[in-house]
Amino acid sequence: MTITIIGAGNIGGTLAEKWKAAGHDILIGARNPGDEEILKWAQGIGARVLSIPEAVNKAEVVLIATPGKVVADLAASLGTALSGKLVMDATNMAGPLGSAPGFEALRKAGADAVKVFNCTGWENLADTRYGNDAVDMFMAGGSAEAKAKVTELVKAVGFAECYDMGGEDKVAILEGFALVWIDLAIFQKMGRGIAFKLMRR
Ligand SMILES: NC(=O)c1ccc[n+]([C@@H]2O[C@H](COP(=O)([O-])OP(=O)(O)OC[C@H]3O[C@@H](n4cnc5c(N)ncnc54)[C@H](OP(=O)(O)O)[C@@H]3O)[C@@H](O)[C@H]2O)c1
């Protein structure tokens, strides 16, 4: 797949490297596509750097991994470019608990948006293994077709399962779930080497 990543920081940069290694074509949509640091890093992993609108236009799938608070402006600035496009939204904290204004802005722009990769630390994307087990991922929102592609991309990173939490009405729950990880890892001082795995019988 041709995957465009907007926000190649901890989350976006890690996923870019993982997906490139899995054989996908990676485009980085950058605010400053001439920046030497990002060009050097992208060259190192075999990705191309373009302006954000160019990279979105060429994408089959888009990942948004910017600060949550910039997503609404970003979506608005892209006009109709996101319309009908599969967009994975990994962002958090665009608004208060129980809301998901970034995701709503992506939907308003017409994106087939799926909230995913938001509920665990970036280190768990870099290394999904805990002993003999692999970490689980969770998603919400988006069409069935979008979720099938997202599941493929989640598994390509090394996650054991990608659980579907349901439709757009569950996106705010998934943002809240991210706060559970943040609370345990940071405020309860368990450290960032923790992750969620579903148990069943
Ligand atoms: N860190 C985690 O463990 C973690 C886990 C789950 C979810 N998240 C969420 O994932 C998102 C990214 O987190 P991160 O830790 O990867 O952040 P980060 O390392 O700070 O990277 C943010 C990226 O967003 C870009 N960016 C900032 N403002 C932008 C704008 N207005 N338009 C386009 N690009 C912009 C930055 O590019 P420039 O170089 O141009 O500044 C940078 O590449 C956040 O919403 C965060 O809440 C993070």
Side-chain angles (χ1 to χ4, degrees):
M1 283 182 228
T2 299
I3 306 168
T4 283
I5 294 179
I6 306 178
N10 294 313
I11 293 282
T14 303
L15 289 174
E17 291 177 19
K18 284 288 191 98
W19 285 328
K20 185 66 199 176
H24 295 289
D25 183 25
I26 306 298
L27 304 177
I28 306 298
R31 288 193 282 187
N32 180 6
D35 180 82
E36 275 183 28
E37 199 180 325
I38 196 162
L39 282 170
K40 195 173 163 202
W41 166 77
Q43 197 180 24
I45 65 161
R48 281 181 293 153
V49 183
L50 300 170
S51 71
I52 293 173
E54 266 183 299
V56 167
N57 283 332
K58 290 186 193 310
E60 181 179 349
V61 181
V62 176
L63 171 80
I64 311 262
T66 62
K69 62 180 190 303
V70 313
V71 179
D73 285 348
L74 182 64
S77 74
L78 285 166
T80 57
L82 292 175
S83 189
K85 209 143 252 191
L86 167 44
V87 176
M88 295 178 282
D89 173 17
T91 69
N92 284 318
M93 295 190 230
L97 184 59
S99 73
F103 185 88
E104 281 163 26
L106 293 170
R107 288 291 298 123
K108 201 170 151 202
D112 190 355
V114 178
K115 175 70 79 179
V116 64
F117 296 116
N118 72 306
C119 63
T120 198
W122 69 268
E123 297 89 341
N124 290 319
L125 311 184
D127 181 2
T128 55
R129 307 294 308 181
Y130 281 73
N132 292 327
D133 279 334
V135 179
D136 290 334
M137 182 45 68
F138 302 83
M139 65 179 167
S143 65
E145 192 191 353
K147 282 174 170 168
K149 280 192 185 164
V150 170
T151 300
E152 184 187 333
L153 291 173
V154 165
K155 293 208 171 166
V157 174
F159 287 89
E161 297 291 343
C162 184
Y163 290 104
D164 183 3
M165 290 180 60
E168 287 173 28
D169 56 325
K170 301 294 174 58
V171 167
I173 296 177
L174 199 43
E175 289 216 13
F177 194 27
L179 293 180
V180 177
W181 187 90
I182 291 167
D183 186 77
L184 292 172
I186 295 164
F187 299 110
Q188 306 311 317
K189 300 186 169 48
M190 290 179 75
R192 298 181 65 91
I194 59 167
F196 297 126
K197 182 144 197 81
L198 191 80
M199 301 183 82
R200 9 157 85 142
R201 64 171 136 234

